[in-house]
Amino acid sequence: ALYVPNLIVMPPAKRTASARRSTKTASAKSSPRAPRANAPSSPSTTSATSNWFFTRHDAVALYVPNLIVMPPAKRTASARRSTKTASAKSSPRAPRANAPSSPSTTSATSNWFFTRHDAVALYVPNLIGYARIACAAYACAVAFDDIYAFFAFYLLSFVCDELDGRFARKFNQCSEFGRVLDMVTDRLATCALLMILAMEYREWYLACIALASLDVASHWFHTYVYVFIGADGHKDLSPSSNWLLRTYYTNRIFMGFCCTCVEVFYMTAHVLKSAPDTAPTFFYYIFRIAATGFAVKQIANVSQLIAAVKTLMEIDRVGM
């Protein structure tokens, strides 16, 4: 009843006596004469009088629709809490300007470095690869001045070669750049060792050149073939591949043994040649044990080169 639109509808202004008389005269002429006060009312007149509240009358503020539109009742505290909870569930609440970030958000922000991100050059395995290159370079630099520093730093470089793959899988940071970096570093480090040995074992320099050529050529041919056919890396071999290659690339223990033996064979050969009198005795035993894995690795390289050449020739025949 106190709504602004209802307040605007004001009661009509009071009319003068002459105006009321003229209106009453005109009303009497235009409508039948009202019954006397003590005259019995007809049923229709009684019904109209009793139902005046539900018809149009002068008390606009008491119209039924206006009575229905009442101000909302005050809600209880529990009702307000339930409404607030439902609203919070339906729409995310905007964080306050000075509100501390949640632990999950803080953790995701601080751990971005150890997940897959856009800065591929800063992937953890790639950083390990850079450290590996630095260690191998320093080892070669002091190869003839400090053989034990050479052995320690080259061994550390080889350990980095094992760690980069583990961290790449752990942090989901495997990348094509990392694969190429790892393979190129492998080949360059092996060639550097063979160059050092060629300078020390002059009678074996042709053998050192042959071993370096076999290592580079077999891996280059093999990688090119598997990139050309769209395989997922050079380790994704088909079931029809040579059994030795399948074992080498699918069995990490066997592969690690062969690669370790090659590196240790070259390193101990350098130490034994540079310091034959002062080198500890166990270096001789290590050299002989590593020779077995070294021989197996060279056989695997030959098999890898032959298989890659055959595959390329088959591709050429099919394309004719």
Side-chain angles (χ1 to χ4, degrees):
L2 299 179
Y3 278 6
V4 175
N6 298 335
L7 294 176
I8 294 175
V9 183
M10 302 299 292
K14 291 184 178 181
R15 293 176 294 176
T16 60
S18 60
R20 285 198 298 273
R21 282 196 299 271
S22 61
T23 303
K24 186 181 294 185
T25 304
S27 175
K29 291 180 179 180
S30 60
S31 60
R33 185 177 181 180
R36 291 177 297 174
N38 56 357
S41 57
S42 62
S44 60
T45 304
T46 304
S47 175
T49 304
S50 61
N51 292 335
W52 69 272
F53 183 77
F54 300 101
T55 59
R56 192 172 186 87
H57 50 79
D58 292 337
V60 178
L62 299 179
Y63 277 6
V64 174
N66 297 336
L67 293 177
I68 294 174
V69 183
M70 299 299 292
K74 292 185 178 180
R75 294 176 296 171
T76 61
S78 60
R80 286 196 298 271
R81 283 195 298 269
S82 62
T83 305
K84 187 180 293 185
T85 304
S87 176
K89 291 181 179 179
S90 61
S91 61
R93 185 179 180 181
R96 293 176 294 174
N98 57 352
S101 55
S102 62
S104 59
T105 305
T106 305
S107 176
T109 304
S110 61
N111 292 336
W112 71 269
F113 184 75
F114 299 103
T115 57
R116 196 170 186 86
H117 51 81
D118 293 335
V120 178
L122 297 180
Y123 279 3
V124 173
N126 295 340
L127 295 177
I128 296 175
Y130 306 148
R132 179 190 174 197
I133 294 173
C135 291
Y138 182 78
C140 293
V142 299
F144 299 104
D145 299 327
D146 190 343
I147 58 173
Y148 295 107
F150 158 80
F151 191 89
F153 275 91
Y154 197 90
L155 184 62
L156 181 60
S157 172
F158 185 73
V159 171
C160 291
D161 183 29
E162 171 62 23
L163 292 178
D164 59 0
R166 291 183 181 273
F167 280 102
R169 291 184 292 272
K170 179 179 180 180
F171 298 138
N172 190 27
Q173 291 184 342
C174 298
S175 63
E176 295 302 323
F177 171 71
R179 288 178 180 177
V180 175
L181 179 67
D182 180 67
M183 181 180 295
V184 170
T185 305
D186 285 342
R187 307 285 74 77
L188 293 180
T190 302
C191 288
L193 276 179
L194 287 169
M195 290 179 189
I196 293 172
L197 293 177
M199 295 174 64
E200 292 181 324
Y201 295 89
R202 297 297 180 90
E203 67 277 14
W204 293 101
Y205 81 95
L206 284 178
C208 293
I209 294 175
L211 288 172
S213 301
L214 175 63
D215 187 66
V216 173
S218 64
H219 285 85
W220 198 93
F221 269 82
H222 178 76
T223 303
Y224 180 85
V225 166
Y226 280 86
V227 170
F228 184 84
I229 64 178
D232 185 19
H234 66 285
K235 298 180 182 180
D236 184 18
L237 302 182
S238 63
S240 60
S241 302
N242 182 283
W243 69 270
L244 181 59
L245 290 180
R246 287 201 313 273
T247 306
Y248 178 77
Y249 280 115
T250 58
N251 191 321
R252 295 189 60 82
I253 297 177
F254 179 71
M255 181 181 183
F257 171 76
C258 292
C259 293
T260 302
C261 286
V262 171
E263 302 295 329
V264 171
F265 181 83
Y266 291 153
M267 287 190 294
T268 52
H270 170 60
V271 172
L272 293 175
K273 185 66 174 179
S274 300
D277 299 329
T278 59
T281 306
F282 70 86
F283 272 92
Y284 291 94
Y285 296 106
I286 294 175
F287 178 78
R288 290 166 183 166
I289 294 173
T292 304
F294 166 79
V296 175
K297 179 67 166 67
Q298 303 316 310
I299 295 173
N301 284 346
V302 173
S303 301
Q304 182 172 253
L305 179 60
I306 294 174
V309 170
K310 288 183 177 179
T311 303
L312 286 175
M313 291 181 177
E314 185 65 26
I315 292 173
D316 288 334
R317 284 194 292 269
V318 171
M320 288 181 178

